Amino acid sequence: MPDQSDTPIIEIEDLAVSFPVPDEAGRGRRFNAVRGVSLSVYPAQTLAVVGESGSGKSVSAMSILQLIPTPPGKYESGKIVWRGDEASGGGAGEAGSVGTDLLTLNDKQMRRVRGNQIAMIFQEPMTSLNPVYTIGEQITEAVLLHQKVNRSEADLIAIDALGDVGIADPASRLREYPHQLSGGMRQRVMIAMALACQPDLLLADEPTTALDVTIQAQILELLRTLQNQKQMAVLLITHDLGVVAENADTVAVMYAGRVLEYASVFDVFQRPLHPYTRGLLKSMPVLGREVDRLPTVMDGATVPEDFPAGYRVQPHTDDPNPPGGYGGAESRLYEVESNHWVLCEPIADKANAQPTHPRLAFRREPVVVV
């Protein structure tokens, strides 16, 4: 395992975010889109957050940058501890210090973080890029805001950023508009915008969803290369388990707004412990195997017979809000095996066990192609 910091650069602790929804009587109530979410990302590490649509992946990531409109959204509880440099304009220290709770920062302080220390790639580049501004204007906006440079110097930084993501003739692309570019090039522009200020953490929210398989592979390879060059932490949101297997160091599996399982990518694929994770992996089609009916999540959602002694987890159900809460009222994230966390509850000899926030600094060795 490569040498690295033993302290997460960012740590989400028991995050809960709610939105108003009407009940059957027409009265307003609040629904927790995420609840009790705990995640940790280390320098130069890739954490993949995987789960089906509506599981709370994007809400968790957008909460890091306070991008959830409040109201109607509301941060009910939790902390997001950032240990990057100058998170609040002087209140945070170097990575490894106590850090700053990003949820306590005001708008002015958050603007120093967004796009500078932490950057985000959104799902659909055509809706994220402004159609009435040129590519150059949109990239240099963040550069001029966060770096002490003039317009000419900002243009040079933008050209370098476009060149880094593999766009040919980047100087001429600065004068073009989003509609003049292909889907793959627009996605590369989004990556260039995110990386122009050399962030310490990149939030990639399904960055290849709208792309064909060939372009997807190119974009993911590009992200890996840039991450290795800049030693940048990446939080990768996806529902594609193939992307997770190829790119992640650690994996957090989410369902119904909660983290169900958290471990290294190898442990999640080789020894999944939560029934939902088992079902999710079993539902993947296998190349070359003919079946009359593709398996669903429920087909594999059984509790393993060798589930760690002293803990209990209920079988997976399609009901996202079963009585008592998913996994039982007392279910929290417990480290049931070394560096392997599962949403469950302790019983018998583990009755006094305490839930813990997952902290796993694992990084797999990069694959060298010869």
Side-chain angles (χ1 to χ4, degrees):
M1 187 182 301
D3 293 334
Q4 57 190 304
S5 169
D6 59 358
T7 304
I9 192 171
I10 192 167
E11 197 164 12
I12 301 176
E13 302 178 1
D14 288 328
L15 177 68
V17 182
S18 68
F19 296 91
V21 293
D23 58 17
E24 294 180 356
R27 295 186 297 268
R29 63 183 180 90
R30 300 198 71 84
F31 176 80
N32 281 342
V34 300
R35 44 189 169 149
V37 168
S38 294
L39 303 169
S40 300
V41 188
Y42 286 75
Q45 183 189 61
T46 297
L47 166 66
V49 181
V50 61
E52 58 194 71
S53 297
S55 61
K57 307 184 301 296
S58 295
V59 171
S60 299
M62 293 174 69
S63 297
I64 293 174
L65 292 175
Q66 288 194 34
L67 294 179
I68 303 296
T70 54
K74 181 181 179 181
Y75 299 106
E76 296 283 358
S77 63
K79 298 192 297 183
I80 302 177
V81 180
W82 171 245
R83 297 185 177 89
D85 301 337
E86 301 175 357
S88 60
E94 300 294 330
S97 68
V98 175
T100 298
D101 182 2
L102 294 179
L103 294 182
T104 65
L105 302 186
N106 58 36
D107 288 341
K108 182 178 179 181
Q109 292 170 326
M110 280 305 303
R111 282 196 294 270
R112 298 190 181 117
V113 177
R114 298 188 189 114
N116 186 28
Q117 298 295 319
I118 307 174
M120 187 165 187
I121 303 173
F122 296 93
Q123 292 188 30
E124 176 49 59
M126 198 60 207
T127 58
S128 301
L129 294 170
N130 194 318
V132 301
Y133 289 98
T134 65
I135 297 302
E137 290 172 323
Q138 296 186 63
I139 296 178
T140 57
E141 179 182 11
V143 176
L144 291 170
L145 177 64
H146 295 298
Q147 300 186 31
K148 297 179 180 180
V149 295
N150 57 36
R151 172 64 67 175
S152 298
E153 292 170 329
D155 286 342
L156 291 176
I157 293 174
I159 291 172
D160 288 340
L162 291 176
D164 287 342
V165 299
I167 291 183
D169 193 13
S172 65
R173 298 296 184 185
L174 292 183
R175 299 185 295 273
E176 295 185 350
Y177 290 85
H179 72 273
Q180 296 177 277
L181 306 180
S182 66
M185 292 184 68
R186 287 196 294 267
Q187 193 63 285
R188 290 172 184 266
V189 169
M190 288 292 297
I191 296 173
M193 290 176 61
L195 301 182
C197 292
Q198 307 287 317
D200 297 318
L201 172 65
L202 177 66
L203 310 176
D205 189 357
E206 300 191 27
T208 60
T209 297
L211 305 177
D212 61 60
V213 176
T214 302
I215 301 301
Q216 172 180 283
Q218 294 175 0
I219 294 297
L220 291 173
E221 178 62 31
L222 171 64
L223 284 176
R224 284 196 298 268
T225 301
L226 294 174
Q227 180 185 21
N228 290 332
Q229 291 175 350
K230 304 175 186 299
Q231 292 297 290
M232 175 179 58
V234 175
L235 191 152
L236 175 65
I237 298 172
T238 183
H239 58 264
D240 189 330
L241 292 174
V243 170
V244 173
E246 289 187 12
N247 296 273
D249 300 314
T250 55
V251 181
V253 180
M254 290 191 68
Y255 177 74
R258 304 190 72 176
V259 176
L260 304 187
E261 190 160 355
Y262 193 110
S264 75
V265 64
F266 301 116
D267 287 341
V268 167
F269 278 83
Q270 294 173 2
R271 181 170 163 72
L273 293 178
H274 196 281
Y276 177 77
T277 308
R278 292 166 61 87
L280 194 65
L281 291 171
K282 189 169 183 177
S283 68
M284 293 177 62
V286 178
L287 186 65
R289 186 178 70 186
E290 294 185 6
V291 294
D292 294 330
R293 170 181 171 272
L294 287 174
T296 67
V297 170
M298 291 303 296
D299 290 326
T302 56
V303 178
E305 294 181 358
D306 59 344
F307 194 83
Y311 296 93
R312 175 175 55 207
V313 60
Q314 71 177 38
H316 175 63
T317 170
D318 278 334
D319 183 1
N321 296 288
Y326 188 81
E330 302 302 320
S331 291
R332 300 287 299 276
L333 277 177
Y334 290 88
E335 190 176 4
V336 298
E337 294 181 345
S338 178
N339 292 325
H340 200 142
W341 287 261
V342 179
L343 185 76
C344 59
E345 54 184 314
I347 56 175
D349 59 316
K350 297 293 180 68
N352 295 321
Q354 296 297 315
T356 58
H357 300 304
R359 279 186 161 204
L360 182 54
F362 173 78
R363 282 184 61 208
R364 61 186 184 185
E365 297 289 347
V367 177
V368 179
V369 180
V370 291

